[in-house]
Amino acid sequence: MGPSGCGKSTLLDGLAGRLGSNTRQLGEILINGHKQKLAFGASAYVTQDDTLMTTLTVREAVYYSAQLQLPDSMSMSEKKERAEMTIKEMGLQDAMNTRIGGWGAKGRTVYFGPASEATEFFALNGFPCPTLQNPSDHFLKTINKDFEKDLEKGSDGGIPTEEAIESLKKSYKSSETYQQVQRQVAEICKQDCGTLEMKRSHAGFVTQCLVLTKRSFVNMFRDLGYYWLRLAIYVALAIGLASVFYDVGYSYGSIQARGSLIMFVSSFLTFMAIGGFPSFVEDMKIFERERLNGHYGTGSFVIGNTFSALPFLLVISLIPGAIAYYPTGLQREAEHFLYFVAVLFACMMLVESLMMIVASMVPNFLMGIITGAGIQGLMILGGGFFRYPNDLPKPFWRYPLYYIAFHKYAYQGLFKNEFEGLTFPRDNAGGPKNLRGEEILRDTWQAEMSYSKWVDLAILLGMVALYRILFLVITKTIENVKPIVASFMSARSKQTAQVIVNPFTTPTHGGIIQQS
């Protein structure tokens, strides 16, 4: 026994040999006075957060577990028999072909009324609470199919659990308590209490934004996996780029080298931002819980998350950007470098915004990362580098993907930033001796020369704002749709059963619901 964090789970992990590699263990574990480990087969340990594959049925989950844990000396039929016996012992026969699934909201009421009268209600219907037994345990045992075998062996005449549930449900529907509850509900509905005016007791919008920005900043700063690990990886990749493309020079072959370097920076370097997806999911979980409690609004969350990330993304853009930019021999002027960093910063903000949108709709880690990576992969393909703009197939790839993929504007902005004002020798004899950067932009990279590189940067920053607004809209939409979906699912589940006993009910508001 002990409060949260005192080491209860750590002690059990130590006894079960489940401590992490970063934990040092002292002392000895003795079994019957002998030093030995609690090896497989000698003990079993159900962790605090047990996890099951929700796509499997109960039968499949137990069968697979039996096949994994039982020795090869046992035949498949013996393993199957052991699994069947386990399912029966757990009282899961009726659910053995049902998928485990996730959490789910289904039941029928067998009693709702004063908690002080619940014991009498069960006793009058043939289910008296045994002496010295907790009434809540008795209620659950009566209406829980897991204990059906024990119930049939008891002193109640062997009534199956399903019959007990139906008997209690019918008895409650015909009881005076039920009629009284219905009359109270009707009276409440008839009352005209006027509009309930609530005084604002929580912080204002500006305060919410400031507090959330600070809290999110502290979280990002302390969480090594949020940005610091990503910074280390970016530095390593930038060093790799600096060594591979070191001093590309101004030969004809350097044209392709510069293009490849720019493509890698604006595509694959920013692609790594999907590594923050697990942290985004955790942020969304916290937001959903606190939003339901009315702590703050969606707009405050989006603003706080956005501003808290800016310093980290700026550092991630500036340090690896400098490492990859100067050793490779790109244009030396400060303006060109700052533009390079600005585009890299905008791209990282865009990827983070995209992953937050994905996190709001696909909270599963694996599916979210796959979805985000797939979207970015399509954008990279249609961005205009691997297949030049004029060569892209017009359906889908040119219209609309080429124009909605942020890589298009990142490629063209960085191409203009690098090639404008430079000259390169031609690779063939005849004609002008030198090849101007503007010709390369127009003929080789097929860049749109009707506007400057600053327009490309402005479009990228506009897309950042658009993605954040889209994240806000999607989050608000999901928030508004959830109650409708829950209401629809509740309407469909009236005939199924669920049992919950609330131990914190007041003497006048007790309740029991049956759980399947």
Side-chain angles (χ1 to χ4, degrees):
M1 295 177 63
S4 177
C6 71
K8 303 185 297 295
S9 298
T10 304
L11 171 62
L12 293 174
D13 288 336
L15 294 174
R18 290 171 176 251
L19 289 177
S21 58
N22 61 338
T23 305
R24 189 163 62 98
Q25 179 176 332
L26 300 176
E28 296 180 345
I29 299 176
L30 305 178
I31 302 178
N32 294 334
H34 299 281
K35 183 179 179 181
Q36 63 185 86
K37 293 183 178 180
L38 291 175
F40 175 80
S43 66
Y45 177 37
V46 179
T47 59
Q48 182 174 351
D49 297 319
D50 202 12
T51 304
L52 299 171
M53 289 188 177
T54 58
T55 57
L56 299 180
T57 64
V58 173
R59 183 202 300 269
E60 291 169 340
V62 179
Y63 278 7
Y64 285 133
S65 181
Q67 293 175 34
L68 289 171
Q69 298 187 56
L70 297 177
D72 292 336
S73 59
M74 293 183 65
S75 64
M76 289 297 296
S77 60
E78 290 176 318
K79 293 181 179 180
K80 184 176 180 180
E81 183 180 354
R82 179 72 64 86
E84 295 280 359
M85 181 180 66
T86 303
I87 291 174
K88 291 179 181 179
E89 288 180 346
M90 291 191 294
L92 296 173
Q93 300 96 314
D94 294 339
M96 63 191 308
N97 294 318
T98 303
R99 288 190 181 185
I100 294 172
W103 180 87
K106 303 174 181 178
R108 47 194 168 176
T109 305
V110 298
Y111 177 80
F112 181 81
S116 58
E117 299 177 11
T119 303
E120 181 182 1
F121 172 77
F122 273 74
L124 291 175
N125 286 279
F127 306 100
C129 180
T131 306
L132 301 180
Q133 185 173 0
N134 188 313
S136 297
D137 292 338
H138 171 67
F139 302 152
L140 283 176
K141 188 173 182 179
T142 303
I143 54 180
N144 194 333
K145 295 180 181 179
D146 292 349
F147 303 103
E148 187 164 4
K149 183 181 293 186
D150 296 338
L151 184 63
E152 291 176 356
K153 291 180 179 178
S155 59
D156 53 15
I159 299 177
T161 304
E162 183 62 33
E163 292 185 17
I165 294 170
E166 288 296 323
S167 174
L168 289 168
K169 186 185 75 170
K170 292 178 181 178
S171 177
Y172 172 69
K173 283 291 184 69
S174 60
S175 68
E176 177 60 27
T177 301
Y178 175 78
Q179 300 299 327
Q180 183 179 357
V181 169
Q182 296 301 310
R183 288 193 295 269
Q184 290 177 347
V185 172
E187 291 174 3
I188 292 173
C189 293
K190 292 178 181 178
Q191 294 177 4
D192 184 10
C193 300
T195 303
L196 182 63
E197 296 182 1
M198 299 291 292
K199 294 182 179 180
R200 184 166 67 179
S201 58
H202 55 71
F205 178 76
V206 175
T207 303
Q208 291 176 5
C209 293
L210 293 174
V211 172
L212 289 175
T213 300
K214 182 179 179 180
R215 188 181 73 169
S216 183
F217 179 86
V218 172
N219 176 52
M220 293 172 179
F221 181 82
R222 293 177 179 174
D223 188 348
L224 295 178
Y226 216 122
Y227 285 114
W228 299 121
L229 179 60
R230 203 187 312 173
L231 175 61
I233 294 174
Y234 283 0
V235 168
L237 287 173
I239 294 173
L241 287 171
S243 59
V244 170
F245 293 95
Y246 180 74
D247 194 14
V248 293
Y250 296 91
S251 64
Y252 182 83
S254 70
I255 297 175
Q256 184 62 41
R258 292 170 191 270
S260 299
L261 172 61
I262 289 172
M263 182 279 302
F264 190 94
V265 168
S266 55
S267 296
F268 296 111
L269 202 61
T270 58
F271 189 90
M272 298 296 297
I274 64 174
F277 183 78
S279 299
F280 300 154
V281 172
E282 293 302 317
D283 286 349
M284 289 301 300
K285 289 180 180 178
I286 295 172
F287 161 71
E288 289 174 1
R289 183 181 72 247
E290 295 180 338
R291 179 70 184 96
L292 290 174
N293 292 333
H295 292 177
Y296 50 83
T298 308
S300 305
F301 170 74
V302 174
I303 292 174
N305 182 275
T306 300
F307 281 98
S308 60
L310 293 180
F312 297 99
L313 291 176
L314 185 60
V315 171
I316 288 179
S317 304
L318 191 61
I319 297 177
I323 296 173
Y325 190 88
Y326 284 107
T328 54
L330 302 181
Q331 294 212 44
R332 301 289 181 179
E333 290 80 2
E335 174 195 320
H336 293 275
F337 171 68
L338 291 177
Y339 184 90
F340 179 88
V341 171
V343 171
L344 183 58
F345 172 81
C347 289
M348 289 190 179
M349 279 288 292
L350 277 167
V351 175
E352 287 221 340
S353 302
L354 173 64
M355 295 309 296
M356 291 193 72
I357 292 173
V358 173
S360 66
M361 298 187 294
V362 189
N364 179 273
F365 284 174
L366 181 60
M367 292 300 297
I369 291 176
I370 292 173
T371 302
I375 294 173
Q376 286 196 75
L378 290 175
M379 289 184 175
I380 292 173
L381 279 177
F385 179 85
F386 292 101
R387 192 73 167 159
Y388 293 145
N390 295 338
D391 299 327
L392 283 171
K394 286 184 172 54
F396 179 71
W397 294 105
R398 183 66 185 268
Y399 307 103
L401 187 62
Y402 174 66
Y403 291 95
I404 64 176
F406 70 86
H407 299 83
K408 165 191 184 293
Y409 309 99
Y411 293 158
Q412 297 206 8
L414 291 178
F415 284 156
K416 294 173 185 177
N417 183 61
E418 179 58 27
F419 285 95
E420 286 180 342
L422 295 182
T423 57
F424 302 87
R426 293 184 181 271
D427 64 337
N428 52 9
K433 183 178 180 180
N434 293 325
L435 186 62
R436 296 174 59 248
E438 288 75 8
E439 295 179 65
I440 297 171
L441 289 171
R442 184 180 62 252
D443 302 331
T444 302
W445 303 123
Q446 299 179 6
E448 298 178 13
M449 303 298 293
S450 59
Y451 55 85
S452 71
K453 63 182 181 181
W454 299 105
V455 175
D456 290 300
L457 178 59
I459 293 174
L460 288 173
L461 295 176
M463 293 180 75
V464 171
L466 177 63
Y467 275 33
R468 292 283 165 161
I469 294 173
L470 185 61
F471 169 64
L472 174 63
V473 171
I474 291 175
T475 304
K476 289 290 292 183
T477 302
I478 293 175
E479 182 179 311
N480 294 329
V481 168
K482 273 186 177 180
I484 300 175
V485 175
S487 177
F488 175 74
M489 296 300 295
S490 177
R492 294 188 58 188
S493 61
K494 287 183 178 179
Q495 302 301 321
T496 54
Q498 184 168 50
V499 170
I500 296 174
V501 175
N502 186 355
F504 303 106
T505 52
T506 63
T508 58
H509 295 88
I512 298 178
I513 307 166
Q514 204 259 306
Q515 180 172 21
S516 55

